[in-house]
Amino acid sequence: MSPLLSVVGSLALWVGSALLVASVAIVGPRRLYALWNDLRDRLWEIRKPLAALVVVLIASAIGRSSLQTVSELFGLPLTWAIYALEGNFVAWVQATFGSPRLTMYFSAVYVYGYVFLLAFPFLAYLALPRTTTVKRLIVAYALNYAIGLVLYTIVLAHGPRNVMPEMVTSLLFTHNPEFMALTGEVNEPTNVFPSLHTSLSVTIGTFAVLTRREYPLWTPIAAWLATSVVIATMYLGIHWLTDVIGGTALALGAVYLSYRIVDEDGGREGENGVDSEE
């Protein structure tokens, strides 16, 4: 079996198991049963934002290498500026806190925890009686990817592990070399600003806080996982602190815009005779 298939299979097994447990414990059998009965109708209601997200993801997958070339030719080379701004902060993080146990934990969180963090809210919010929240989530995902892709094209910046390999170790790959097969399929070495791992994790954490009444148990879990992923991006030597700050700003902006877009669209539908979600 190829390294990529091995990692994908392991990812599907662990994340699938975590989704099953979390669905029963957090969403609950009653909401899951209602979701099963109304699944077709609910998917139809979210068809527009879901289609928009699919288009963005396909565009990202197809155009990533071409946009990487555009970035290398015309992008703003800002690696020097980032390094001048924060210096050896990431190297200090690794030197101060690095340990085999933390490396194992943050490697698992960066890959397995992150995928679970992305997948579970879609299921949880789709199980709510109204589809407003899941629409907002999907729009926020699409905005993160779309804006992130634009910024990756504009800003040409290498990660700390590429800039100072003598001080920053690629801990994710030294601990799990097989992960390189997976990350190589979805990342380019210069698409570090902003950190999409950070922006999407903070997006999910923000939604978890905003929906704490619906899913009180999910809020602390999401906050812990999101914070762990953010720290992992630096601990593993993948992103700068600047990338994390940029990703956090992108997340908060995406959440704000998702509320504006979905609520305005719901208002227009209400004027045309269709019940608004709110």
Side-chain angles (χ1 to χ4, degrees), residues 33-96:
Y33 181 76
L35 172 61
W36 178 258
N37 287 334
D38 300 336
L39 182 59
R40 181 179 299 179
D41 291 338
R42 296 186 190 188
L43 289 176
W44 178 254
E45 287 183 25
I46 65 171
R47 66 192 183 282
K48 292 181 181 179
L50 192 58
L53 175 59
V54 170
V55 169
V56 170
L57 292 176
I58 292 175
S60 176
I62 295 176
R64 188 174 70 245
S65 59
S66 298
L67 292 176
Q68 175 70 22
T69 302
V70 173
S71 181
E72 292 173 353
L73 292 174
F74 306 107
L76 298 173
L78 295 183
T79 305
W80 65 271
I82 294 174
Y83 182 73
L85 180 65
E86 64 180 77
N88 298 330
F89 176 77
V90 174
W92 173 83
V93 169
Q94 285 195 348
T96 304

Side-chain angles (χ1 to χ4, degrees), residues 151 193-195 198-199 241-251:
L151 291 174
F193 181 86
S195 166
T198 294
S199 69
L241 175 61
T242 304
D243 304 331
V244 168
I245 295 173
T248 301
L250 173 56

Side-chain angles (χ1 to χ4, degrees), residues 139-180:
V139 170
Y141 279 0
L143 289 170
N144 272 285
Y145 280 110
I147 298 172
L149 191 62
V150 171
L151 291 174
Y152 284 158
T153 306
I154 295 174
V155 177
L156 183 68
H158 293 270
R161 70 189 188 279
N162 304 115
V163 174
M164 40 186 177
E166 72 286 351
M167 299 175 65
V168 177
T169 305
S170 299
L171 292 177
L172 177 66
F173 305 135
T174 57
H175 178 67
N176 295 97
E178 65 274 14
F179 283 166
M180 193 175 297

Side-chain angles (χ1 to χ4, degrees), residues 44-269:
W44 178 254
E45 287 183 25
I46 65 171
R47 66 192 183 282
K48 292 181 181 179
L50 192 58
L53 175 59
V54 170
V55 169
V56 170
L57 292 176
I58 292 175
S60 176
I62 295 176
R64 188 174 70 245
S65 59
S66 298
L67 292 176
Q68 175 70 22
T69 302
V70 173
S71 181
E72 292 173 353
L73 292 174
F74 306 107
L76 298 173
L78 295 183
T79 305
W80 65 271
I82 294 174
Y83 182 73
L85 180 65
E86 64 180 77
N88 298 330
F89 176 77
V90 174
W92 173 83
V93 169
Q94 285 195 348
T96 304
F97 303 103
S99 71
R101 288 185 178 181
L102 277 181
T103 299
M104 183 182 300
Y105 170 72
F106 283 124
S107 295
V109 163
Y110 186 81
V111 178
Y112 297 101
Y114 177 67
V115 175
F116 169 75
L117 197 60
L118 284 179
F120 178 72
F122 177 81
L123 173 62
Y125 298 150
L126 188 61
L128 292 175
R130 297 176 182 241
T131 57
T132 305
T133 302
V134 71
K135 286 178 181 177
R136 291 168 177 161
L137 179 75
I138 295 170
V139 170
Y141 279 0
L143 289 170
N144 272 285
Y145 280 110
I147 298 172
L149 191 62
V150 171
L151 291 174
Y152 284 158
T153 306
I154 295 174
V155 177
L156 183 68
H158 293 270
R161 70 189 188 279
N162 304 115
V163 174
M164 40 186 177
E166 72 286 351
M167 299 175 65
V168 177
T169 305
S170 299
L171 292 177
L172 177 66
F173 305 135
T174 57
H175 178 67
N176 295 97
E178 65 274 14
F179 283 166
M180 193 175 297
L182 178 63
T183 59
E185 293 294 319
V186 297
N187 289 328
E188 297 289 343
T190 56
N191 61 351
V192 298
F193 181 86
S195 166
L196 267 188
H197 264 68
T198 294
S199 69
L200 288 165
S201 297
V202 173
T203 293
I204 294 161
T206 303
F207 270 99
V209 172
L210 293 172
T211 59
R212 59 191 178 278
R213 291 184 178 179
E214 288 83 358
Y215 293 118
L217 182 58
W218 170 238
T219 303
I221 295 174
W224 177 267
L225 283 175
T227 301
S228 295
V229 170
V230 170
I231 296 173
T233 63
M234 295 179 288
Y235 176 89
L236 297 174
I238 298 170
H239 283 286
W240 306 91
L241 175 61
T242 304
D243 304 331
V244 168
I245 295 173
T248 301
L250 173 56
L252 297 178
V255 172
Y256 171 77
L257 289 174
S258 73
Y259 270 69
R260 292 292 301 271
I261 292 170
V262 171
D263 292 358
E264 288 180 4
D265 183 62
R268 286 195 297 270
E269 288 182 354

